[in-house]
């Protein structure tokens, strides 16, 4: 089935010729810069839709750290040994 209307364009301005296996789901031309731009926009949209994702998380983290008392010490040692 052929797509009607204007051809789909990538972030870089090139016309996207869809891969047979991906079809209409293809969002970029495949270049690394275009993929990074798509990732940046998707992340920005996710952060906009989930503004409180990491807020007010101290209570949960505190209880987890109380159950795992040596976690930060082990992590600091691992980081220093890298």
């Amino acid at each position: 089935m052929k797509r009607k209307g204007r051809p789909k364009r990538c972030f870089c301005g090139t016309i996207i010729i869809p891969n047979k296996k991906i079809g209409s789901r293809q969002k970029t031309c495949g270049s690394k810069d275009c993929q990074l731009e798509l990732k940046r926009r998707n992340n920005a949209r996710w952060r906009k839709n989930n503004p409180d994702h990491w807020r007010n998380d101290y209570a949960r983290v505190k209880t987890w750290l109380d159950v795992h008392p040596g976690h930060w010490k082990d992590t600091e040692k691992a980081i220093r040994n890298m």
Side-chain angles (χ1 to χ4, degrees):
M1 181 175 197
K2 291 190 176 186
R3 186 170 181 230
K4 296 179 181 179
R6 293 188 328 193
K8 195 172 187 179
R9 292 197 174 264
C10 189
F11 298 113
C12 62
T14 60
I15 294 174
I16 296 176
I17 300 169
N19 185 311
K20 290 179 187 177
K21 294 180 180 181
I22 300 172
S24 63
R25 295 174 292 138
Q26 188 168 348
K27 306 291 185 216
T28 67
C29 63
S31 73
K32 198 69 167 169
D33 292 336
C34 294
Q35 290 175 359
L36 289 173
E37 178 63 19
L38 178 65
K39 177 71 172 166
R40 187 190 66 76
R41 288 183 185 193
N42 286 342
N43 286 346
R45 185 179 63 227
W46 188 89
R47 283 191 303 271
K48 181 181 175 187
N49 292 335
N50 300 288
D52 296 332
H53 182 72
W54 296 109
R55 292 200 178 115
N56 303 324
D57 202 27
Y58 179 76
R60 182 190 64 82
V61 173
K62 178 73 173 129
T63 54
W64 189 89
L65 287 173
D66 289 343
V67 175
H68 302 86
H71 176 74
W72 285 119
K73 291 178 185 176
D74 296 340
T75 304
E76 288 174 357
K77 286 180 187 176
I79 291 172
R80 286 186 193 133
N81 292 333
M82 289 180 125

Coordinates of all heavy atoms in Angstrom, one line a residue:
M1 N 0.8 -1.2 0.0 CA 0.0 0.0 0.0 C 0.9 1.2 0.0 O 1.7 1.4 0.9 CB -0.9 0.0 1.2 CG -1.8 1.1 1.3 SD -2.9 0.8 2.8 CE -4.1 2.0 2.4
K2 N 0.7 2.1 -0.9 CA 1.5 3.3 -1.1 C 1.0 4.4 -0.2 O -0.3 4.5 0.0 CB 1.6 3.7 -2.5 CG 2.4 2.8 -3.4 CD 2.6 3.4 -4.7 CE 3.5 2.4 -5.5 NZ 3.9 3.0 -6.8
R3 N 1.8 5.2 0.3 CA 1.5 6.3 1.2 C 1.1 7.5 0.3 O 1.8 7.8 -0.7 CB 2.7 6.6 2.0 CG 2.4 7.7 3.1 CD 3.6 7.8 4.0 NE 3.2 8.8 5.0 CZ 4.0 9.8 5.3 NH1 5.2 9.9 4.8 NH2 3.6 10.7 6.2
K4 N 0.0 8.2 0.7 CA -0.4 9.3 -0.1 C 0.1 10.6 0.6 O 0.4 10.6 1.8 CB -1.9 9.3 -0.2 CG -2.5 8.2 -1.0 CD -4.0 8.2 -1.0 CE -4.5 7.0 -1.8 NZ -5.9 7.0 -1.9
G5 N 0.2 11.7 -0.1 CA 0.6 12.9 0.4 C 2.0 13.2 0.3 O 2.7 12.6 -0.5
R6 N 2.5 14.1 1.1 CA 3.9 14.5 1.0 C 4.8 13.3 1.6 O 4.4 12.6 2.5 CB 4.2 15.7 1.9 CG 3.5 16.9 1.3 CD 3.9 18.2 1.9 NE 4.2 18.0 3.3 CZ 4.4 19.0 4.2 NH1 4.3 20.3 3.8 NH2 4.7 18.8 5.4
P7 N 6.0 13.2 1.0 CA 6.9 12.2 1.5 C 7.4 12.5 2.9 O 7.5 13.7 3.3 CB 8.1 12.1 0.5 CG 8.0 13.4 -0.2 CD 6.6 13.9 -0.1
K8 N 7.7 11.5 3.7 CA 8.1 11.7 5.1 C 9.6 12.2 5.1 O 10.4 11.7 4.3 CB 8.0 10.4 5.9 CG 8.1 10.5 7.3 CD 7.8 9.2 7.9 CE 7.7 9.3 9.4 NZ 7.4 8.0 10.0
R9 N 9.9 13.2 5.9 CA 11.3 13.7 5.9 C 11.9 13.5 7.3 O 11.2 13.4 8.3 CB 11.3 15.2 5.6 CG 10.9 15.5 4.2 CD 11.3 17.0 3.9 NE 11.1 17.2 2.5 CZ 12.0 17.1 1.5 NH1 13.2 16.8 1.8 NH2 11.7 17.4 0.3
C10 N 13.2 13.3 7.3 CA 14.0 13.1 8.5 C 14.4 14.4 9.1 O 14.1 15.5 8.6 CB 15.2 12.3 8.1 SG 16.1 11.7 9.5
F11 N 15.0 14.3 10.3 CA 15.5 15.5 11.0 C 16.5 16.3 10.1 O 16.5 17.5 10.2 CB 16.1 15.2 12.3 CG 15.1 14.5 13.2 CD1 15.3 13.2 13.6 CD2 14.1 15.2 13.8 CE1 14.4 12.6 14.5 CE2 13.2 14.6 14.6 CZ 13.4 13.3 15.0
C12 N 17.3 15.6 9.4 CA 18.3 16.2 8.6 C 17.8 16.8 7.2 O 18.5 17.5 6.5 CB 19.4 15.3 8.3 SG 18.9 13.8 7.3
G13 N 16.5 16.5 6.9 CA 15.9 17.1 5.7 C 15.8 16.1 4.6 O 15.1 16.4 3.6
T14 N 16.4 14.9 4.7 CA 16.4 13.9 3.6 C 15.0 13.2 3.6 O 14.4 13.0 4.7 CB 17.5 12.9 3.7 OG1 17.3 12.2 4.9 CG2 18.8 13.6 3.6
I15 N 14.6 12.8 2.5 CA 13.3 12.0 2.4 C 13.6 10.6 2.8 O 14.6 10.0 2.4 CB 12.8 12.0 0.9 CG1 12.4 13.5 0.5 CG2 11.6 11.1 0.8 CD1 12.0 13.6 -0.9
I16 N 12.7 10.1 3.7 CA 12.9 8.7 4.2 C 12.3 7.7 3.2 O 11.1 7.8 2.9 CB 12.2 8.6 5.6 CG1 12.9 9.5 6.6 CG2 12.3 7.2 6.0 CD1 12.2 9.5 7.9
I17 N 13.1 6.8 2.8 CA 12.7 5.7 2.0 C 12.6 4.5 3.0 O 13.6 4.0 3.4 CB 13.6 5.4 0.8 CG1 13.8 6.6 -0.1 CG2 13.2 4.2 0.1 CD1 14.9 6.5 -1.1
P18 N 11.4 4.1 3.3 CA 11.2 3.1 4.4 C 11.8 1.8 4.0 O 11.8 1.3 2.9 CB 9.7 2.9 4.5 CG 9.1 4.1 3.8 CD 10.1 4.6 2.8
N19 N 12.4 1.2 5.0 CA 13.0 -0.2 4.9 C 11.8 -1.1 4.8 O 10.7 -0.9 5.5 CB 13.8 -0.5 6.2 CG 14.5 -1.8 6.1 OD1 13.9 -2.8 5.8 ND2 15.8 -1.8 6.5
K20 N 11.9 -2.2 4.1 CA 10.8 -3.2 3.9 C 10.3 -3.7 5.3 O 9.1 -4.0 5.5 CB 11.2 -4.3 3.0 CG 11.4 -3.9 1.6 CD 11.8 -5.2 0.8 CE 12.2 -4.8 -0.6 NZ 12.7 -5.9 -1.4
K21 N 11.3 -4.0 6.1 CA 10.9 -4.7 7.4 C 10.4 -3.7 8.4 O 9.6 -4.1 9.3 CB 12.2 -5.3 8.0 CG 12.7 -6.5 7.2 CD 13.9 -7.1 7.8 CE 14.4 -8.3 6.9 NZ 15.6 -8.9 7.5
I22 N 10.7 -2.4 8.3 CA 10.2 -1.4 9.3 C 9.0 -0.7 8.8 O 8.0 -0.5 9.6 CB 11.3 -0.4 9.6 CG1 12.6 -1.1 10.1 CG2 10.9 0.6 10.6 CD1 13.8 -0.3 10.3
G23 N 8.9 -0.3 7.5 CA 7.8 0.3 6.9 C 7.5 1.7 7.5 O 8.4 2.5 7.7
S24 N 6.2 1.9 7.8 CA 5.8 3.2 8.3 C 6.2 3.6 9.7 O 6.1 4.7 10.1 CB 4.2 3.3 8.2 OG 3.7 2.4 9.1
R25 N 6.8 2.6 10.4 CA 7.3 2.9 11.7 C 8.6 3.6 11.7 O 9.1 4.0 12.8 CB 7.4 1.6 12.5 CG 6.1 0.9 12.8 CD 6.2 -0.4 13.5 NE 6.8 -1.4 12.5 CZ 7.8 -2.2 12.8 NH1 8.2 -2.3 14.1 NH2 8.3 -3.0 11.9
Q26 N 9.3 3.6 10.6 CA 10.6 4.2 10.5 C 10.6 5.7 10.7 O 9.8 6.4 10.1 CB 11.2 3.9 9.1 CG 12.7 4.3 9.0 CD 13.3 3.8 7.8 OE1 12.8 2.9 7.1 NE2 14.5 4.3 7.5
K27 N 11.4 6.2 11.6 CA 11.4 7.6 12.0 C 12.6 8.4 11.5 O 12.5 9.6 11.4 CB 11.3 7.7 13.5 CG 10.2 7.0 14.2 CD 8.9 7.6 13.9 CE 7.8 6.8 14.7 NZ 6.6 6.7 14.0
T28 N 13.7 7.7 11.2 CA 14.9 8.5 10.8 C 15.5 7.8 9.6 O 15.1 6.7 9.2 CB 16.0 8.5 11.9 OG1 16.5 7.1 12.1 CG2 15.5 9.0 13.2
C29 N 16.4 8.5 8.9 CA 17.1 8.0 7.7 C 18.1 6.9 8.1 O 18.6 6.2 7.3 CB 17.7 9.1 6.9 SG 19.0 10.0 7.8
G30 N 18.5 6.9 9.4 CA 19.5 5.9 9.8 C 20.8 6.5 10.2 O 21.6 5.8 10.8
S31 N 21.0 7.7 10.0 CA 22.3 8.3 10.4 C 22.4 8.5 11.9 O 21.3 8.6 12.5 CB 22.5 9.7 9.7 OG 21.7 10.7 10.2
K32 N 23.6 8.5 12.4 CA 23.8 8.5 13.9 C 23.2 9.9 14.4 O 22.6 9.9 15.5 CB 25.3 8.4 14.2 CG 25.5 8.0 15.6 CD 25.1 6.6 15.8 CE 25.6 6.1 17.2 NZ 25.0 4.9 17.6
D33 N 23.4 11.0 13.7 CA 23.0 12.3 14.2 C 21.4 12.3 14.3 O 20.9 12.8 15.2 CB 23.4 13.4 13.2 CG 24.9 13.6 13.3 OD1 25.5 13.2 14.3 OD2 25.5 14.1 12.3
C34 N 20.8 11.7 13.3 CA 19.3 11.7 13.3 C 18.8 10.8 14.4 O 17.8 11.2 15.0 CB 18.8 11.3 11.9 SG 19.1 12.4 10.6
Q35 N 19.4 9.7 14.6 CA 19.0 8.8 15.7 C 19.2 9.5 17.1 O 18.3 9.4 18.0 CB 19.8 7.5 15.7 CG 19.4 6.7 14.5 CD 20.2 5.4 14.4 OE1 21.1 5.2 15.2 NE2 20.0 4.6 13.4
L36 N 20.3 10.2 17.2 CA 20.5 11.0 18.5 C 19.5 12.1 18.7 O 19.0 12.3 19.8 CB 21.9 11.5 18.5 CG 23.0 10.5 18.7 CD1 24.4 11.2 18.5 CD2 23.0 9.8 20.0
E37 N 19.1 12.8 17.6 CA 18.1 13.8 17.7 C 16.7 13.2 18.1 O 16.0 13.8 18.9 CB 18.0 14.6 16.4 CG 16.9 15.6 16.4 CD 17.2 16.8 17.4 OE1 18.3 16.9 17.8 OE2 16.2 17.5 17.7
L38 N 16.4 12.1 17.5 CA 15.1 11.4 17.8 C 15.1 11.0 19.3 O 14.2 11.2 20.0 CB 14.9 10.2 17.0 CG 13.7 9.3 17.2 CD1 12.4 10.1 17.0 CD2 13.7 8.1 16.4
K39 N 16.3 10.5 19.8 CA 16.4 10.1 21.2 C 16.3 11.3 22.1 O 15.6 11.2 23.1 CB 17.8 9.4 21.4 CG 18.1 9.0 22.8 CD 17.2 7.8 23.3 CE 17.7 7.3 24.6 NZ 16.8 6.4 25.2
R40 N 16.9 12.4 21.7 CA 16.8 13.6 22.5 C 15.4 14.1 22.6 O 14.9 14.4 23.7 CB 17.7 14.7 21.9 CG 17.8 15.9 22.8 CD 18.5 17.1 22.0 NE 17.7 17.6 20.9 CZ 16.6 18.3 21.0 NH1 16.2 18.7 22.2 NH2 15.9 18.7 20.0
R41 N 14.7 14.1 21.5 CA 13.3 14.6 21.5 C 12.4 13.6 22.3 O 11.5 14.0 23.0 CB 12.8 14.7 20.1 CG 13.4 15.9 19.4 CD 12.8 16.0 18.0 NE 13.5 17.1 17.3 CZ 13.0 17.6 16.1 NH1 11.9 17.1 15.6 NH2 13.7 18.5 15.5
N42 N 12.6 12.3 22.2 CA 11.8 11.3 22.9 C 12.0 11.5 24.4 O 11.1 11.4 25.2 CB 12.1 9.9 22.5 CG 11.5 9.6 21.1 OD1 10.6 10.3 20.6 ND2 12.0 8.6 20.5
N43 N 13.3 11.7 24.8 CA 13.6 11.9 26.2 C 12.9 13.2 26.8 O 12.4 13.2 27.9 CB 15.1 11.9 26.5 CG 15.7 10.5 26.4 OD1 15.0 9.5 26.4 ND2 17.0 10.5 26.2
A44 N 13.0 14.2 26.0 CA 12.4 15.5 26.4 C 10.9 15.3 26.6 O 10.3 15.8 27.5 CB 12.7 16.6 25.4
R45 N 10.3 14.6 25.6 CA 8.8 14.4 25.7 C 8.5 13.6 27.0 O 7.5 13.9 27.7 CB 8.3 13.8 24.5 CG 6.8 13.6 24.4 CD 6.2 13.0 23.2 NE 6.8 11.6 23.1 CZ 7.3 11.1 22.0 NH1 7.4 11.8 20.9 NH2 7.7 9.9 22.0
W46 N 9.3 12.5 27.3 CA 9.0 11.7 28.4 C 9.2 12.5 29.7 O 8.3 12.4 30.6 CB 10.0 10.5 28.4 CG 9.6 9.5 29.5 CD1 8.8 8.5 29.4 CD2 10.1 9.5 30.8 NE1 8.7 7.8 30.6 CE2 9.5 8.4 31.5 CE3 10.9 10.3 31.6 CZ2 9.7 8.1 32.8 CZ3 11.2 10.0 32.9 CH2 10.6 9.0 33.5
R47 N 10.2 13.3 29.8 CA 10.4 14.1 31.0 C 9.3 15.1 31.2 O 8.9 15.4 32.3 CB 11.8 14.9 30.9 CG 12.9 14.0 31.2 CD 14.2 14.8 31.4 NE 14.5 15.6 30.3 CZ 15.3 15.2 29.2 NH1 15.7 14.0 29.2 NH2 15.5 16.1 28.3
K48 N 8.7 15.7 30.1 CA 7.6 16.6 30.2 C 6.4 15.9 30.7 O 5.6 16.5 31.5 CB 7.4 17.2 28.8 CG 6.2 18.2 28.8 CD 6.0 18.7 27.3 CE 4.8 19.6 27.3 NZ 4.4 20.0 26.0
N49 N 6.1 14.7 30.2 CA 5.0 13.9 30.6 C 5.1 13.3 32.0 O 4.1 12.9 32.6 CB 4.6 12.8 29.6 CG 4.2 13.4 28.3 OD1 3.7 14.5 28.2 ND2 4.4 12.7 27.2
N50 N 6.3 13.2 32.5 CA 6.6 12.5 33.8 C 7.4 13.4 34.7 O 8.5 13.0 35.1 CB 7.3 11.2 33.6 CG 6.4 10.2 32.8 OD1 5.4 9.7 33.2 ND2 6.9 10.0 31.6
P51 N 6.9 14.6 35.0 CA 7.8 15.6 35.8 C 8.2 15.1 37.2 O 9.2 15.5 37.7 CB 7.0 16.9 35.8 CG 5.6 16.4 35.7 CD 5.6 15.2 34.8
D52 N 7.3 14.3 37.8 CA 7.6 13.9 39.2 C 8.2 12.5 39.4 O 8.1 12.0 40.4 CB 6.2 14.0 40.0 CG 5.7 15.4 40.1 OD1 6.5 16.4 40.0 OD2 4.5 15.6 40.2
H53 N 8.7 12.0 38.3 CA 9.2 10.6 38.4 C 10.2 10.4 39.5 O 10.2 9.4 40.2 CB 9.8 10.2 37.0 CG 10.3 8.8 37.0 ND1 9.4 7.8 37.0 CD2 11.5 8.3 37.0 CE1 10.1 6.6 36.9 NE2 11.4 6.9 36.9
W54 N 11.2 11.3 39.6 CA 12.2 11.1 40.6 C 12.0 11.9 41.9 O 12.8 11.8 42.8 CB 13.6 11.4 40.0 CG 14.0 10.5 38.9 CD1 14.0 10.8 37.6 CD2 14.3 9.1 39.0 NE1 14.4 9.7 36.9 CE2 14.6 8.7 37.7 CE3 14.4 8.3 40.1 CZ2 15.0 7.4 37.5 CZ3 14.8 7.0 39.8 CH2 15.1 6.5 38.5
R55 N 11.0 12.7 41.9 CA 10.8 13.6 43.1 C 10.1 12.8 44.2 O 9.4 11.8 44.0 CB 9.9 14.8 42.7 CG 10.6 15.7 41.8 CD 9.9 17.1 41.8 NE 10.7 17.9 41.0 CZ 10.3 18.4 39.8 NH1 9.0 18.2 39.5 NH2 11.0 19.2 39.1
N56 N 10.4 13.2 45.5 CA 9.8 12.5 46.6 C 10.1 11.0 46.7 O 9.3 10.2 47.1 CB 8.3 12.7 46.7 CG 7.9 14.2 46.6 OD1 8.6 15.0 47.2 ND2 6.9 14.6 45.9
D57 N 11.3 10.7 46.3 CA 11.7 9.3 46.3 C 12.6 8.9 47.5 O 13.0 7.8 47.7 CB 12.4 9.0 45.0 CG 12.4 7.5 44.6 OD1 11.5 6.8 45.1 OD2 13.4 7.1 43.9
Y58 N 12.9 9.9 48.4 CA 13.8 9.7 49.5 C 13.4 8.6 50.4 O 14.2 7.8 50.8 CB 14.0 11.0 50.2 CG 15.0 10.9 51.4 CD1 16.3 10.8 51.1 CD2 14.5 10.8 52.7 CE1 17.2 10.7 52.2 CE2 15.4 10.6 53.7 CZ 16.8 10.5 53.5 OH 17.6 10.4 54.5
A59 N 12.1 8.5 50.7 CA 11.6 7.5 51.7 C 11.9 6.1 51.2 O 12.4 5.2 51.9 CB 10.1 7.7 52.0
R60 N 11.6 5.9 49.9 CA 11.9 4.5 49.4 C 13.3 4.2 49.4 O 13.8 3.1 49.7 CB 11.3 4.5 47.9 CG 11.5 3.1 47.3 CD 11.1 3.1 45.8 NE 12.0 4.0 45.1 CZ 13.2 3.6 44.6 NH1 13.7 2.4 44.9 NH2 14.0 4.4 43.9
V61 N 14.2 5.2 49.0 CA 15.6 4.9 48.9 C 16.2 4.7 50.3 O 17.0 3.8 50.5 CB 16.3 6.1 48.2 CG1 17.8 6.0 48.3 CG2 15.9 6.2 46.8
K62 N 15.7 5.5 51.2 CA 16.2 5.4 52.6 C 15.8 4.0 53.2 O 16.7 3.4 53.8 CB 15.5 6.5 53.5 CG 15.9 6.4 54.9 CD 17.3 6.9 55.2 CE 17.5 7.0 56.7 NZ 18.8 6.3 57.0
T63 N 14.6 3.5 53.0 CA 14.3 2.1 53.5 C 15.2 1.1 52.8 O 15.6 0.1 53.5 CB 12.8 1.8 53.3 OG1 12.5 2.0 51.9 CG2 12.0 2.7 54.2
W64 N 15.4 1.2 51.5 CA 16.3 0.3 50.8 C 17.7 0.3 51.3 O 18.3 -0.8 51.5 CB 16.3 0.6 49.3 CG 16.9 -0.5 48.5 CD1 16.3 -1.6 48.0 CD2 18.3 -0.6 48.2 NE1 17.3 -2.4 47.3 CE2 18.5 -1.8 47.4 CE3 19.4 0.2 48.4 CZ2 19.7 -2.2 46.9 CZ3 20.6 -0.2 47.9 CH2 20.8 -1.4 47.2
L65 N 18.2 1.5 51.6 CA 19.6 1.6 52.1 C 19.7 1.0 53.5 O 20.7 0.5 53.9 CB 20.0 3.1 52.1 CG 20.4 3.6 50.7 CD1 20.7 5.1 50.8 CD2 21.6 2.8 50.1
D66 N 18.6 1.1 54.3 CA 18.6 0.6 55.7 C 18.7 -1.0 55.6 O 19.3 -1.6 56.4 CB 17.3 1.0 56.4 CG 17.4 2.5 56.8 OD1 18.5 3.1 56.8 OD2 16.3 3.0 57.1
V67 N 18.1 -1.6 54.6 CA 18.1 -3.0 54.4 C 19.5 -3.5 53.8 O 19.9 -4.6 54.1 CB 17.0 -3.5 53.5 CG1 17.0 -4.9 53.2 CG2 15.6 -3.1 54.1
H68 N 20.1 -2.6 53.0 CA 21.4 -2.9 52.4 C 22.5 -1.9 52.9 O 22.9 -1.0 52.2 CB 21.3 -2.8 50.9 CG 20.3 -3.6 50.3 ND1 18.9 -3.3 50.2 CD2 20.4 -4.9 49.8 CE1 18.3 -4.2 49.6 NE2 19.1 -5.2 49.4
P69 N 22.9 -2.1 54.2 CA 23.8 -1.1 54.8 C 25.2 -0.9 54.2 O 25.7 0.2 54.2 CB 24.0 -1.6 56.3 CG 23.6 -3.1 56.2 CD 22.7 -3.2 55.1
G70 N 25.8 -1.9 53.6 CA 27.1 -1.7 53.0 C 27.1 -1.3 51.5 O 28.2 -1.3 50.9
H71 N 26.0 -1.0 51.0 CA 25.9 -0.7 49.5 C 26.8 0.4 49.1 O 27.6 0.3 48.1 CB 24.5 -0.4 49.1 CG 24.4 -0.1 47.7 ND1 24.5 -1.0 46.7 CD2 24.2 1.1 47.1 CE1 24.3 -0.4 45.5 NE2 24.2 0.9 45.7
W72 N 26.8 1.6 49.8 CA 27.6 2.7 49.3 C 29.1 2.5 49.5 O 29.9 2.9 48.7 CB 27.2 4.0 50.1 CG 25.9 4.5 49.6 CD1 24.7 4.7 50.3 CD2 25.5 4.9 48.2 NE1 23.7 5.1 49.5 CE2 24.2 5.3 48.2 CE3 26.3 5.0 47.1 CZ2 23.6 5.8 47.1 CZ3 25.6 5.4 45.9 CH2 24.3 5.8 45.9
K73 N 29.4 1.8 50.6 CA 30.9 1.5 50.8 C 31.4 0.6 49.7 O 32.5 0.8 49.1 CB 31.1 0.8 52.1 CG 30.8 1.7 53.3 CD 31.0 1.0 54.6 CE 30.6 1.9 55.7 NZ 30.6 1.2 57.0
D74 N 30.7 -0.4 49.3 CA 31.1 -1.3 48.2 C 31.1 -0.5 46.9 O 32.1 -0.7 46.1 CB 30.1 -2.5 48.0 CG 30.1 -3.4 49.3 OD1 31.1 -3.3 50.0 OD2 29.1 -4.1 49.5
T75 N 30.2 0.3 46.6 CA 30.1 1.1 45.4 C 31.3 2.1 45.3 O 32.0 2.2 44.3 CB 28.8 1.9 45.3 OG1 27.7 1.0 45.4 CG2 28.7 2.6 44.0
E76 N 31.6 2.7 46.4 CA 32.8 3.7 46.4 C 34.1 2.9 46.2 O 34.9 3.4 45.4 CB 32.9 4.4 47.8 CG 31.8 5.4 48.0 CD 31.8 6.0 49.4 OE1 32.6 5.6 50.2 OE2 31.0 6.9 49.6
K77 N 34.2 1.7 46.7 CA 35.5 0.9 46.5 C 35.5 0.6 45.0 O 36.6 0.6 44.4 CB 35.4 -0.3 47.3 CG 35.7 -0.1 48.8 CD 35.7 -1.4 49.6 CE 35.8 -1.2 51.0 NZ 35.7 -2.4 51.8
A78 N 34.4 0.1 44.4 CA 34.4 -0.2 43.0 C 34.8 0.9 42.1 O 35.5 0.8 41.1 CB 33.1 -0.8 42.6
I79 N 34.3 2.1 42.4 CA 34.6 3.3 41.6 C 36.0 3.7 41.8 O 36.7 4.0 40.8 CB 33.6 4.5 42.1 CG1 32.2 4.2 41.7 CG2 34.1 5.8 41.4 CD1 31.2 5.2 42.2
R80 N 36.6 3.6 42.9 CA 38.0 4.0 43.1 C 38.9 3.0 42.4 O 40.0 3.4 41.9 CB 38.3 4.0 44.6 CG 37.8 5.1 45.3 CD 38.3 5.2 46.8 NE 37.5 6.2 47.5 CZ 36.9 5.9 48.7 NH1 37.1 4.8 49.3 NH2 36.2 6.9 49.3
N81 N 38.5 1.7 42.3 CA 39.4 0.7 41.7 C 39.3 0.7 40.1 O 40.0 0.0 39.5 CB 39.0 -0.7 42.2 CG 39.4 -0.8 43.7 OD1 40.3 -0.2 44.1 ND2 38.7 -1.7 44.4
M82 N 38.4 1.5 39.6 CA 38.2 1.5 38.1 C 39.4 2.2 37.4 O 40.2 2.9 37.7 CB 37.0 2.3 37.7 CG 35.7 1.5 38.1 SD 34.3 2.5 37.6 CE 33.5 1.3 36.6

